[in-house]
Amino acid sequence: MFTTTGSRGLYKAPLSKGLLLVLSGLSVLFAVLPQYQHLFTYSLLDITEQRQLWRLVFGRLVCLDLKDTFCSSLLIYNFRIFERRFGSRKFASFLFGTWVLTALVDLSLVEVFQYLFEYQMEELPAGLLGPVFSLFVPFYWTIPKVPGTPFLGQISITNKSLVYLIGLQLLTSSPFMWLVALSGVISGMLYHSNALWVQRLLFLPRWLSRGGGFLLEPLFSSPPTSETPLGMGATLDVQRQQRIDLLDQQMLLAQFNQARRNQRPAQGGLINWNRFFPSLRQRRQNQPPEPQTRPSPQQPRPSPQQPRLSTPPQQIQPSAPPLQLEPTAPPLDIPPAAEEQVARLVEMGFSRLDAQEALRASNNDVNLATNFLLQHLG
């Protein structure tokens, strides 16, 4: 068998192993001895008309169709992760609670179907199918998806896709399997959400769990395999993906801190704009300076020994030729960034200085500035 949600093996899953061995063995036995199959049929007519209530127990234990046995065994094998995660007692309580609830929901759905369509169902598929469909509810809500191989563009195969495909195969195995599946999903939602306090009413007692563990665990316990580390078997793929995500976050944080340490003090942002826009910076830095009027030389002060002249002295002309000012190029006219555009970039998480520099460098094109910031800083 294969698994898509954890490592191989049945380590720390004695109840799942017991269900697989006992129920599958009985299904094969009744396939070889068909004369005893009538005792385990899930006959609704015998239950409602002849009051054979014992069929609610026997008819909902063993699958009489080998195809249903195979699909339900694959699902139980994959759902063993709940026994590893929550323990055998809680897993057994979930199976017992949903097994009781599905018996009530089955009869209710049959009555509703008969009232709406005036059709009486005589028999439903036998076996432990209701609790198996109930396990899809915690599987959907509590087991995270790990992205896998993309398929047909938008559709991607995850670690949960094959389990859903097996459930779909079991759903289409017989005409009235949809009613059993609907009953199982409703019962699973009731028990998982603890509606009407069903978890307090339908549970496995502690003394029964200890007795069953003392008697059955030595028979169905499995040693850990060499590929399964202790404590990681139930969610090995999920924990591996979480470790990869944690390493990615640490690498991004290290790059962020390195960029912060290497930033220029006067710049204030995290991007070295001189590096990414050298041509624009050179154009701004290579502009000729504005013409400045050269101050005239000061008149020499008369010394105390020099006699004062009655007439003012003539101004000393500089011997150097006068400064010839060349026509300067017009200054680079870049309109200031609009406050609305800066605010949009700041709302995305960038600093105000980086937003202003990006808009100034992209000539106030907010899309170009956003793309550049996301590429080099996001």
Side-chain angles (χ1 to χ4, degrees):
M1 293 183 184
F2 62 94
T3 179
T4 60
T5 55
S7 59
R8 303 184 186 94
L10 290 165
Y11 175 64
K12 289 188 177 181
L15 181 58
S16 301
K17 184 177 181 181
L19 291 176
L20 288 174
L21 295 179
V22 175
L23 299 182
S24 301
L26 290 176
S27 298
V28 175
L29 180 63
F30 290 136
V32 177
L33 302 174
Q35 62 271 20
Y36 297 103
Q37 287 187 359
H38 68 281
L39 298 175
F40 293 88
T41 56
Y42 192 12
S43 177
L44 298 175
L45 292 178
D46 295 340
I47 295 173
T48 56
E49 296 180 1
Q50 300 182 11
R51 305 301 178 183
Q52 296 180 359
L53 299 180
W54 55 271
R55 290 190 179 275
L56 288 174
V57 179
F58 287 84
R60 303 171 62 245
L61 288 178
V62 183
C63 293
L64 301 180
D65 190 351
L66 292 180
K67 183 171 62 175
D68 295 346
T69 302
F70 180 75
C71 292
S72 60
S73 298
L74 283 177
L75 291 175
I76 292 175
Y77 180 74
N78 282 274
F79 290 148
R80 79 200 185 282
I81 57 177
F82 296 113
E83 184 177 3
R84 289 176 173 175
R85 176 177 293 186
F86 304 120
S88 298
R89 179 172 178 261
K90 191 172 182 179
F91 183 65
S93 298
F94 183 89
L95 294 178
F96 172 73
T98 54
W99 185 76
V100 174
L101 290 175
T102 49
L104 302 176
V105 178
D106 284 345
L107 299 178
S108 302
L109 291 178
V110 168
E111 293 297 330
V112 171
F113 186 81
Q114 182 178 357
Y115 176 78
L116 294 177
F117 301 99
E118 297 182 356
Y119 180 82
Q120 185 177 6
M121 296 183 184
E122 299 180 357
E123 187 175 328
L124 289 178
L128 196 70
L129 301 175
V132 171
F133 282 108
S134 300
L135 288 169
F136 276 99
V137 176
F139 181 77
Y140 177 79
W141 289 109
T142 61
I143 303 299
K145 292 190 300 183
V146 178
T149 306
F151 179 72
L152 295 179
Q154 301 296 331
I155 303 175
S156 61
I157 299 178
T158 66
N159 60 324
K160 302 170 66 174
S161 301
L162 293 178
V163 180
Y164 291 131
L165 290 177
I166 297 173
L168 182 61
Q169 176 64 33
L170 182 61
L171 180 64
T172 58
S173 61
S174 60
F176 296 110
M177 186 65 75
W178 64 268
L179 191 142
V180 178
L182 181 60
S183 174
V185 172
I186 294 175
S187 302
M189 293 176 64
L190 291 175
Y191 198 90
H192 183 70
S193 61
N194 196 20
L196 302 177
W197 299 281
V198 293
Q199 294 183 10
R200 298 182 180 181
L201 301 175
L202 303 174
F203 64 95
L204 199 66
R206 188 177 299 275
W207 62 268
L208 184 59
S209 175
R210 291 180 178 178
F214 180 76
L215 296 176
L216 301 179
E217 189 170 356
L219 298 176
F220 299 111
S221 61
S222 300
T225 59
S226 58
E227 66 164 10
T228 307
L230 294 177
M232 292 186 61
T235 55
L236 183 61
D237 292 341
V238 175
Q239 293 182 8
R240 185 182 296 115
Q241 184 65 27
Q242 290 176 351
R243 288 185 177 182
I244 293 175
D245 295 340
L246 182 60
L247 289 176
D248 291 341
Q249 294 176 3
Q250 292 177 354
M251 292 177 61
L252 291 176
L253 183 60
Q255 294 177 0
F256 180 82
N257 294 331
Q258 184 67 24
R260 175 171 291 180
R261 286 193 299 266
N262 294 338
Q263 64 179 337
R264 296 172 59 184
Q267 195 169 1
L270 296 180
I271 299 179
N272 188 359
W273 297 97
N274 292 327
R275 174 185 175 188
F276 295 113
F277 294 98
S279 59
L280 180 61
R281 295 301 184 187
Q282 291 175 3
R283 289 176 60 188
R284 297 182 63 184
Q285 294 176 1
N286 293 338
Q287 293 180 14
E290 297 181 359
Q292 299 180 358
T293 58
R294 189 167 182 175
S296 59
Q298 298 180 357
Q299 298 178 359
R301 295 181 180 180
S303 59
Q305 294 81 9
Q306 183 179 4
R308 295 187 178 181
L309 301 177
S310 59
T311 59
Q314 297 181 357
Q315 296 183 354
I316 303 174
Q317 298 295 333
S319 59
L323 179 63
Q324 299 293 333
L325 297 179
E326 298 179 358
T328 60
L332 187 61
D333 187 13
I334 300 178
E339 185 62 29
E340 181 182 358
Q341 296 176 341
V342 177
R344 287 177 58 185
L345 295 178
V346 171
E347 289 177 358
M348 296 180 186
F350 305 107
S351 66
R352 183 177 182 84
L353 183 58
D354 286 336
Q356 293 175 348
E357 292 287 348
L359 289 171
R360 188 179 298 111
S362 60
N363 197 15
N364 292 337
D365 189 346
V366 67
N367 294 326
L368 182 59
T370 305
N371 293 334
F372 184 82
L373 288 172
L374 290 175
Q375 182 179 0
H376 294 91
L377 190 60

